[in-house]
Each structure stands twice: as C-alpha cells, then as structure tokens.
Amino acid sequence: MAGKNILIRHANQQDIPTIMELIYLKAEFDGCPESVEATPKKLEVDLFGEKPLAFVLLAEVDGEAIGLATYHFIYSTFLAKPGIWLDDLYVKAEHRNHKIGEALVLRLRQIAQEKGCARIDWTVAISNDRGIKFYQRLGAKIRDKVRLCRLI
C-alpha cells in the first residue's frame, strides 16, 4: 500500500451499492450477517434525503472504496456540546494495517473539531483485542465501567 493515495470523502447517493457491500462485509466480520436489514432505498432516504440521519465517510485507494466510517451527531447535556457517534468502522481485510482505519478516524476527528464537538464515542467488542489496541494507539480511552444498553 506504500505510495498509494488514500482518499477519504463523504459518500453520495451514487455510492449506495458500495455502502451496501461494505455493510454486509462488516456484518460478516462481526459474525452477524443475518442482522443486516438495510436496503438501498432505506439508505437513500436516511443518508441522502431531505434530513439525513447519518453520514458515511468512504476510504478509497486508486478509485476503489475499501472502507467506511458511519456516524451521526449526538449531544452531551453535561458538556452542553455536540458530539459524534461512530456507528461503524470497517476496512476490507486485504487493506488492513495500511493506515486506512486511522485515516478514517482522523478525518472524523477533523469533522468533530470543525463542528465544535466535545468528543467522539463508539463501542468496541470486548473480545476485539486488535481493535482495542488500534483505538488506544489513536489516543482513545477505553471505558470499562459502562455498558451498552438497548431497547426495542
């Protein structure tokens, strides 16, 4: 990968097939491909409609999309500032360890700073040792005293 240009850009409506492919690959990586309910039509409305609910950064090398970061804005009442929730971060297996994930996270950090966000939050599986080490290398603080809660 040395010498190749990494482009990080916001996805557009024409990228929906690529986004779908990367979502399926991420679900396979997470061991839950059956959980994907996303459809191109849902993504079109939710990501590129009148009021987008979330955003997608794509990582490209030589014009090929090889990774993504999906995110949306949150709000901290304690800080009285917005934040970003990183929902998915994924890089195709053959392109890992080439700073693609780092480039995606650094671009997301830049967006957070531009928008006046206090922080970026996300989850990582307890068993994902590589992911935890990767996030720590980037300066993330892993909080062990909180648990993800979900309704519905």
Side-chain angles (χ1 to χ4, degrees), residues 40-76:
K41 184 63 178 163
K42 284 183 181 179
L43 293 181
E44 181 179 346
V45 171
D46 292 344
L47 301 178
F48 305 108
E50 188 175 317
K51 292 184 180 182
L53 299 176
F55 306 91
V56 179
L57 292 175
L58 289 177
E60 293 181 342
V61 171
D62 295 334
E64 177 192 357
I66 58 168
L68 87 163
T70 64
Y71 69 97
H72 62 271
F73 290 93
I74 56 175
Y75 188 79
S76 169

Side-chain angles (χ1 to χ4, degrees), residues 1-2 5 14 23 26 37 39 52 55 58 70-71 74 81 87 94 97 100 108 112 114 128 137 143-144 149-150:
M1 188 78 43
N5 290 329
Q14 290 72 39
I23 289 170
K26 169 76 165 78
E37 295 182 17
T39 65
F55 306 91
L58 289 177
T70 64
Y71 69 97
I74 56 175
K81 287 189 165 202
D87 195 50
E94 63 272 22
N97 300 313
I100 307 297
L108 193 58
E114 290 167 1
N128 186 353
R137 265 195 327 271
R143 303 184 79 184
D144 294 327
C149 299
R150 182 174 289 160

Side-chain angles (χ1 to χ4, degrees), residues 76-141:
S76 169
T77 54
F78 283 17
L79 301 174
K81 287 189 165 202
I84 287 179
W85 181 265
L86 171 60
D87 195 50
D88 288 316
L89 179 67
Y90 179 78
V91 175
K92 289 181 177 180
E94 63 272 22
H95 296 283
R96 293 184 191 139
N97 300 313
H98 297 289
K99 302 207 179 280
I100 307 297
E102 181 177 341
L104 284 161
V105 172
L106 292 177
R107 178 64 182 115
L108 193 58
R109 177 186 277 169
Q110 181 183 28
I111 292 167
Q113 291 168 338
E114 290 167 1
K115 300 290 186 182
C117 295
R119 63 185 185 223
I120 301 170
D121 291 324
W122 66 95
T123 61
V124 60
I126 295 167
S127 61
N128 186 353
D129 292 329
R130 280 185 64 195
I132 291 168
K133 288 176 184 165
F134 166 73
Y135 294 132
Q136 288 173 325
R137 265 195 327 271
L138 294 179
K141 310 280 186 287

Side-chain angles (χ1 to χ4, degrees), residues 23-24 27-28 30-38:
I23 289 170
Y24 278 112
E28 287 175 6
D30 288 346
C32 56
E34 71 287 348
S35 67
V36 176
E37 295 182 17

